[in-house]
Amino acid sequence: MMNLNKRKLTGVLCSTILLATASACAQSQQQQQRNTPFELVDFEELPDPTADTLSDWSNVGNGLHASFVTIDKRFPKSVAPDFSVKKQESIIGWRGERVSAQLLLWTNMEIADAQVEVSEFTGENGENLPVDIASTHFVRYVMTDEFAGGCGHRKPEDFAMSLSPDMLDDLTSFDLEAKKVRPVWVTLRIPEDAKPGNYTAKVHVKAAGIKTQELDVSLNVIDQVLPKPSEWTYHLDQWQHPSAVARVEGLEMWSDEHFEALKPQMQMLADVGQKVITTTLNKDPWNVQTFDHYADMIIWTKQRDGSWKYDYRVFDKWVQFMLDLGIDKMINCYSIIPWNNEIHYNDEASGEFVNVEAKPGTPIFEDLWTPFLEDFVEHLRGKGWLEKTNIAIDERTREEVDGALTLLQKVSPELGVSYADNQKTYQRYPNSNDISISIGHPFSAVDLKNRQSRGLNTTFYICCSDAFPNQFTFSDPAESTLLAWYTEAANFDGMLRWAFNSWVENPLLDSRFRTWPAGDTYIVYPNARSSIRYERLLEGLQDYAKIQMVKQVLRGKGDQANLDRLETAIQKLKITKRNDTWNQDLNDAKVLLNELSVQLVQ
């Protein structure tokens, strides 16, 4: 039969994946596919490597089956469903909110050209909501692994692997495999001008020659308007990686075509309220820890007479591009302390690039960075960007940070400082205007309140060392939502996470990477495809915005009883280790938040 899902990557691709075999194949192709764009539309998922393929499907009747299922669970691809079929789903949300539901399709036979469509929403008050507020996305399975020890080099054969449903594809139809399930993500974008009240719609699941399945969905629109993402106070900082976009789409780095391809991808970041632009000052700040190196944004040139000049054209184009998308609170520049302490420059006399090791606190460090910092400050001042620019540092040693910050204070005190901190550096430099504390490290609540009182930004960050909560491709979906509730519970201003789109070799197929748990390096997919992790993160960020509004109104009313109820629910989510009730506690808190939202307008 015609198979819309059997899709081929350009270049060589392993047709099977059996433990180490897949890894060996991927490694043999690495150099070829670094320079060869792969097909972003047509591809085939990797085979299921687990014993789930032995699941008993004998009790599944012929035809196409469909049911609403929880958005809190990932469903194994090869396991026959064993639950009560649910044909009706109820969703609640504010005007302007984006809400989600999940369907599960399954069949014991191959079915071609399956489609899922949502009708117009009909309101009890005679009002209708247009059909285009709903979109449906077949969820694609990517290869994942397990947390195990967290950070560190990984041989795929040493870690349990499985298929995980994560990417939301934009196909209008899908060929269903026999004895497999296929999740479908349903997204509803509630119009800001929607009339409050209850609406109903039909969900039709159909395919040629197959009896159509009909399900019902109801939407309760609360009479509250969610602010636009650009107005959210949550300080979201997800590091961007332009080079990855150029590689997967086969485009020249920093070309006009590259920026065109970046636009829909970075718009997704703006749509969740991102506040920070990730830029680079010199050589790849992380010493090529990612599949793609970070391309230069500023070219340093040592002229024949020993003086310096700096080419800011790419830096300026990238920053302005992001500002135009509405990501405009901070420009964080990595890094005055690269992970290998190397910088490079174009030597005009030799016509070649020169690599120099420059450790903070050494004479060569001061000689190289002083003229740049002085010039950079003047350039930023001329662009009107100086006040929002930070020199950024990521997890460097105490001695390195001390050497770098000493020079910054001496040469360019006008520049802000931002750093990801796992050593309580913020206590030694209390005026640092943007810091992020590892979620796994102790912090002082008194310090957080003090910083907030002085208008300084303090976030937490998650990385490969944090088993929970996190956003790996094997993480429970609700963990992505929990992160924003944890922010509120622990009194942080937001969250930092690397990275938004540091894609691995073939991100559409295999989310594993050589050094970290699968999915650690990206939460969205090429061609601006969303994911379950992205949608659930957005859900939490919307909740955070709602919490701020509800608390403000309750304080204004002097309603301490409901403030206490809400705070009690929030504090249950101040957790960094999994417990048996966390997901139910999260859902209970969300129900309470919406209940209080309704009460505010009664």
Side-chain angles (χ1 to χ4, degrees):
M1 72 179 194
M2 178 183 69
N3 194 325
L4 298 175
N5 319 320
K6 287 188 176 179
R7 301 175 165 194
K8 188 179 293 183
L9 303 179
T10 38
V12 181
L13 178 67
C14 294
S15 59
T16 59
I17 178 165
L18 296 173
L19 298 174
T21 306
S23 174
C25 176
Q27 290 173 4
S28 70
Q29 300 160 39
Q30 183 171 357
Q31 186 58 45
Q32 174 187 357
Q33 292 201 10
R34 278 185 188 275
N35 302 311
T36 305
F38 55 84
E39 180 58 61
L40 297 175
V41 177
D42 294 330
F43 65 93
E44 180 181 0
E45 293 170 358
L46 295 171
D48 191 339
T50 71
D52 292 345
T53 54
L54 303 177
S55 178
D56 182 8
W57 284 74
S58 61
N59 292 325
V60 177
N62 292 335
L64 175 59
H65 304 272
S67 175
F68 282 108
V69 291
T70 176
I71 61 175
D72 287 342
K73 182 178 178 182
R74 299 184 188 274
F75 291 84
K77 185 177 182 179
S78 302
V79 175
D82 183 20
F83 52 75
S84 298
V85 172
K86 182 181 180 184
K87 294 292 186 178
Q88 196 278 334
E89 183 66 287
S90 299
I91 305 173
I92 186 171
W94 288 23
R95 292 184 287 157
E97 189 173 358
R98 180 160 151 178
V99 291
S100 302
Q102 186 172 209
L103 286 170
L104 194 68
L105 311 184
W106 67 97
T107 175
N108 62 7
M109 56 189 282
E110 292 184 347
I111 295 179
D113 201 26
Q115 301 174 49
V116 179
E117 298 174 350
V118 182
S119 72
E120 182 181 64
F121 281 79
T122 303
E124 60 186 2
N125 52 11
E127 298 283 343
N128 293 339
L129 297 178
V131 68
D132 63 2
I133 74 163
S135 60
T136 60
H137 302 271
F138 292 98
V139 184
R140 305 303 298 269
Y141 284 81
V142 296
M143 196 61 67
T144 190
D145 53 20
E146 59 182 335
F147 183 76
C151 308
H153 184 75
R154 292 184 164 229
K155 294 181 179 179
E157 62 268 26
D158 294 340
F159 297 84
M161 63 180 181
S162 60
L163 290 175
S164 178
D166 189 54
M167 189 191 85
L168 308 190
D169 213 336
D170 53 10
L171 298 170
T172 57
S173 63
F174 201 87
D175 292 344
L176 302 178
E177 301 172 71
K179 297 183 180 180
K180 304 293 181 187
V181 306
R182 179 61 53 180
V184 179
W185 200 261
V186 180
T187 300
L188 304 181
R189 294 170 173 82
I190 306 173
E192 290 184 7
D193 60 355
K195 298 289 185 182
N198 292 308
Y199 298 81
T200 58
K202 297 291 186 182
V203 179
H204 296 105
V205 182
K206 56 187 181 180
I210 298 294
K211 181 181 178 181
T212 297
Q213 298 284 311
E214 185 175 275
L215 302 92
D216 297 301
V217 59
S218 64
L219 174 63
N220 180 9
V221 179
I222 297 174
D223 191 14
Q224 298 283 354
V225 179
L226 187 72
K228 291 179 172 58
S230 59
E231 300 170 359
W232 296 349
T233 60
Y234 193 98
H235 189 89
L236 183 67
D237 182 6
Q238 298 216 335
W239 294 347
Q240 307 102 55
H241 200 157
S243 299
V245 175
R247 189 255 307 178
V248 299
E249 301 212 27
L251 300 172
E252 180 185 349
M253 194 71 201
W254 306 128
S255 65
D256 290 343
E257 293 78 12
H258 180 207
F259 275 90
E260 278 300 307
L262 282 165
K263 188 171 184 179
Q265 206 76 59
M266 295 305 133
Q267 183 62 56
M268 293 181 71
L269 195 50
D271 289 345
V272 289
Q274 170 77 6
K275 297 294 187 285
V276 186
I277 304 169
T278 306
T279 68
T280 60
L281 295 175
N282 190 270
K283 198 174 181 181
D284 188 317
W286 295 280
N287 193 26
V288 199
Q289 291 189 57
T290 49
F291 186 83
D292 302 287
H293 76 278
Y294 274 77
D296 286 352
M297 292 185 180
I298 303 171
I299 304 299
W300 298 26
T301 297
K302 186 174 185 179
Q303 301 180 99
R304 286 183 173 84
D305 63 1
S307 63
W308 292 89
K309 67 177 180 180
Y310 307 96
D311 185 344
Y312 298 108
R313 284 177 294 179
V314 169
F315 176 89
D316 291 349
K317 186 175 181 179
W318 167 248
V319 170
Q320 190 59 57
F321 168 81
M322 295 294 279
L323 291 173
D324 291 343
L325 291 176
I327 301 172
D328 58 6
K329 184 177 180 181
M330 289 185 181
I331 305 167
N332 281 0
C333 306
Y334 293 90
S335 170
I336 195 171
I337 318 175
W339 276 57
N340 59 359
N341 285 315
E342 281 190 357
I343 65 172
H344 63 185
Y345 60 85
N346 176 34
D347 182 58
E348 194 173 70
S350 66
E352 297 180 349
F353 268 84
V354 176
N355 290 310
V356 178
E357 184 178 23
K359 294 182 179 180
T362 63
I364 187 64
F365 180 85
E366 184 166 346
D367 290 345
L368 289 170
W369 281 102
T370 295
F372 170 76
L373 291 170
E374 292 173 343
D375 193 82
F376 192 42
V377 165
E378 292 309 310
H379 180 76
L380 293 169
R381 182 177 284 118
K383 300 292 292 187
W385 299 340
L386 181 57
E387 291 185 355
K388 62 179 63 179
T389 300
N390 299 313
I391 300 298
I393 301 168
D394 177 34
E395 289 186 334
R396 300 294 77 210
T397 67
R398 180 183 182 122
E399 293 74 22
E400 289 171 329
V401 171
D402 287 349
L405 295 188
T406 297
L407 181 66
L408 285 169
Q409 184 60 38
K410 172 185 173 182
V411 175
S412 54
E414 307 96 325
L415 285 166
V417 173
S418 173
Y419 48 83
D421 186 20
N422 57 7
Q423 302 179 49
K424 288 192 175 182
T425 307
Y426 67 92
Q427 291 183 334
R428 294 186 292 113
Y429 297 96
N431 293 322
S432 303
N433 63 327
D434 178 42
I435 66 166
S436 192
I437 302 169
S438 170
I439 195 173
H441 286 253
F443 63 90
S444 166
V446 174
D447 287 346
L448 260 61
K449 290 180 180 179
N450 176 267
R451 287 180 55 82
Q452 287 173 340
S453 71
R454 294 184 290 130
L456 302 175
N457 190 63
T458 314
T459 66
F460 71 94
Y461 69 90
I462 54 174
C463 64
C464 58
S465 62
D466 305 306
F468 175 91
N470 214 311
Q471 292 189 288
F472 306 120
T473 43
F474 54 78
S475 298
D476 289 331
E479 291 181 44
S480 291
T481 303
L482 173 64
L483 290 165
W485 287 81
Y486 172 81
T487 306
E488 177 69 11
N491 196 34
F492 284 104
D493 297 312
M495 179 186 76
L496 178 153
R497 184 184 186 277
W498 98 299
F500 185 63
N501 69 307
S502 281
W503 291 319
V504 294
E505 184 174 3
N506 288 317
L508 302 178
L509 296 179
D510 193 338
S511 63
R512 297 174 298 170
F513 192 54
R514 59 181 178 252
T515 42
W516 304 297
D520 188 50
T521 66
Y522 64 102
I523 67 163
V524 293
Y525 289 83
N527 274 11
R529 289 181 176 96
S530 185
S531 70
I532 289 177
R533 293 175 293 157
Y534 174 92
E535 297 297 327
R536 297 305 306 271
L537 173 67
L538 172 60
E539 177 187 320
L541 297 171
Q542 292 177 145
D543 289 343
Y544 184 91
K546 291 160 67 174
I547 290 169
Q548 310 315 308
M549 294 179 64
V550 169
K551 280 188 171 183
Q552 182 179 9
V553 174
L554 291 176
R555 291 190 192 103
K557 289 185 172 184
D559 189 348
Q560 192 60 46
N562 278 323
L563 276 169
D564 290 343
R565 289 178 64 205
L566 181 57
E567 191 59 33
T568 297
I570 291 170
Q571 287 304 312
K572 286 183 180 180
L573 302 173
K574 188 180 178 181
I575 54 173
T576 57
K577 293 185 178 180
R578 189 184 304 273
N579 61 42
D580 293 338
T581 64
W582 75 268
N583 204 333
Q584 187 59 53
D585 290 340
L586 173 64
N587 289 335
D588 290 345
K590 289 174 64 65
V591 168
L592 175 60
L593 179 61
N594 280 324
E595 286 179 357
L596 294 175
S597 304
V598 172
Q599 291 179 24
L600 296 182
V601 294
Q602 290 178 343

